[in-house]
Amino acid sequence: AKKQGRNNFQVYDVMLDAKAYEEMQIENELRKALEREEFVLHYQPIVNLCKNEIKGAEALIRWENERVGKVPPDQFIPIAEETGLIIPIGEWVLKTALLQLKDWHENGLENLTMSVNLSIRQFYQPNLLAMIREAIELARIEPCFLTIEITESMTMDVEKASVILRELKKLGVGISIDDFGTGYSSLSYLKRFPIDHLKIDRCFVRDIAENKSDENIATTIILMAHNLGLSVIAEGVETASQLKLLRQHRCNEAQGYHFSRPVPAEEFARIKVSS
Ligand code: C2E
Ligand code: CA
Ligand code: CA
Ligand code: CA
């Protein structure tokens, strides 16, 4: 028995090494990904449920590398955050997304907005505000067409974040709270930050048509947000029955596979909204 235990331990050790090795390889490749131009942005429509039309796009990063293949953002963004690579990557995302938006504005999609995810780590970058201003100027768009999406994080310096968010608000940039309801301090965020939109996390949307208590949670979030003067975006809408319920409860906007998956820029203009 003793011998077997030891073997098991060795197997476990080897597996740990394999995982650590993979992460190290991802990190090494990630360091060269920007200059090799391995990132692209995909865009997912955000649909206004009153008008039944596309109101905006959310930019979502994609990475494909020769050695490590396609790595989803949930896997490489945390590594980019740990290593600080999120700073140059985040700048590339913002500039690329806003230049794309400018192109759409000039080609028939005049009022489209662009939502860009901002990592909490970027709030510790000393020149974040200057970088955002520069990206807006570079693309020559009005700041009100940009929305920043932030998630809650336990490691966040709330004081620092609220100073930056207030400056962004002054500039006219929109602010969304992403994945609302999944964190630790959602409600205190609403009190402390100048939020415009709240995105209901898709875990609360998934079963709303089958599960009464999930429906109650979603409708309560919508009511609360409206009482605070915020608009509500439902994430992860995949079916017509989810959409119908969200409409009934006066959810303002929706996003999800029901309308479209995130797609390359060339495909975005061809998306048609189905009700
Ligand atoms: P998120 O900001 O919550 O983005 C929504 C995620 O849900 C996206 O996954 C999107 O593809 C997926 N999704 C959209 N509609 C549906 C649906 O109907 N059903 C299901 N099951 N999923 C849906 P994705 O693109 O893999 O991104 C994952 C996360 O990675 C994002 O979550 C965001 O936190 C992060 N991320 C992506 N791009 C960036 C970026 O440019 N910067 C930063 N800092 N984070 C990013
Ligand atoms: Ca988001
Ligand atoms: Ca989200
Ligand atoms: Ca998320």
Side-chain angles (χ1 to χ4, degrees):
K2 200 175 175 187
K3 201 175 168 209
Q4 199 193 356
R6 217 168 131 181
N7 283 339
N8 279 342
F9 184 70
Q10 276 170 358
V11 169
Y12 184 61
D13 227 32
V14 167
M15 276 165 58
L16 261 185
D17 283 352
K19 188 162 163 39
Y21 179 75
E22 200 203 346
E23 287 210 346
M24 198 183 72
Q25 213 182 15
I26 288 179
E27 183 181 326
N28 282 337
E29 296 303 313
L30 203 53
R31 287 186 188 285
K32 297 169 234 156
L34 263 180
E35 64 183 62
R36 287 183 185 155
E37 300 183 17
E38 292 174 343
F39 295 118
V40 288
L41 294 183
H42 282 190
Y43 300 91
Q44 188 176 38
I46 300 175
V47 176
N48 176 317
L49 295 184
C50 258
K51 301 182 182 162
N52 216 41
E53 65 183 31
I54 295 174
K55 172 251 173 193
E58 178 177 0
L60 294 156
I61 195 168
R62 299 289 177 261
W63 179 35
E64 188 165 359
N65 170 276
E66 212 165 66
R67 257 187 228 162
V68 291
K70 282 188 184 176
V71 187
D74 279 337
Q75 211 179 326
F76 74 80
I77 293 286
I79 298 173
E81 287 174 342
E82 272 166 43
T83 53
L85 288 166
I86 193 66
I87 305 295
I89 294 173
E91 181 170 351
W92 177 86
V93 169
L94 187 66
K95 288 187 170 158
T96 306
L98 289 184
L99 287 169
Q100 181 59 59
L101 184 67
K102 179 65 174 180
D103 188 78
W104 281 331
H105 280 183
E106 287 175 342
N107 289 287
L109 303 173
E110 291 87 7
N111 293 313
L112 202 71
T113 62
M114 181 63 74
S115 296
V116 175
N117 295 284
L118 209 64
S119 158
I120 294 305
R121 179 72 154 74
Q122 292 177 270
F123 281 90
Y124 295 92
Q125 165 188 8
N127 59 351
L128 176 66
L129 275 169
M131 188 279 277
I132 294 174
R133 277 202 200 94
E134 193 187 304
I136 289 171
E137 278 163 25
L138 183 80
R140 291 177 291 116
I141 57 138
E142 294 297 320
C144 63
F145 290 111
L146 170 64
T147 296
I148 289 299
E149 297 195 359
I150 55 165
T151 49
E152 309 164 39
S153 157
M154 295 218 297
T155 60
M156 185 174 208
D157 177 343
V158 176
E159 210 37 61
K160 186 179 221 137
S162 80
V163 169
I164 294 173
L165 292 175
R166 263 164 233 291
E167 284 299 318
L168 282 176
K169 180 94 169 185
K170 254 195 255 165
L171 200 64
V173 172
I175 297 159
S176 270
I177 271 263
D178 204 351
D179 302 344
F180 185 81
T182 60
Y184 299 88
S185 48
S186 310
L187 293 175
S188 78
Y189 270 43
L190 295 184
K191 192 170 143 63
R192 306 186 68 162
F193 295 155
I195 314 276
D196 303 291
H197 319 276
L198 182 157
K199 296 186 87 166
I200 306 181
D201 192 75
R202 67 168 184 268
C203 72
F204 299 115
V205 171
R206 194 176 47 223
D207 299 323
I208 45 169
E210 293 85 34
N211 183 319
K212 195 66 194 170
S213 89
D214 281 24
E215 185 187 345
N216 286 338
I217 291 172
T219 59
T220 303
I221 294 176
I222 294 170
L223 273 178
M224 179 198 62
H226 287 168
N227 282 333
L228 292 168
L230 311 179
S231 83
V232 183
I233 304 160
E235 290 193 308
V237 177
E238 295 184 352
T239 69
S241 46
Q242 291 168 339
L243 186 62
K244 192 172 163 214
L245 269 174
L246 289 162
R247 270 220 178 84
Q248 273 169 18
H249 293 294
R250 305 272 183 276
C251 184
N252 306 83
E253 290 159 23
Q255 198 180 343
Y257 297 167
H258 175 72
F259 300 108
S260 169
R261 290 179 179 259
V263 295
E266 315 82 76
E267 283 173 43
F268 187 85
R270 291 201 296 269
I271 298 170
K272 293 273 170 294
V273 176
S274 56
S275 41

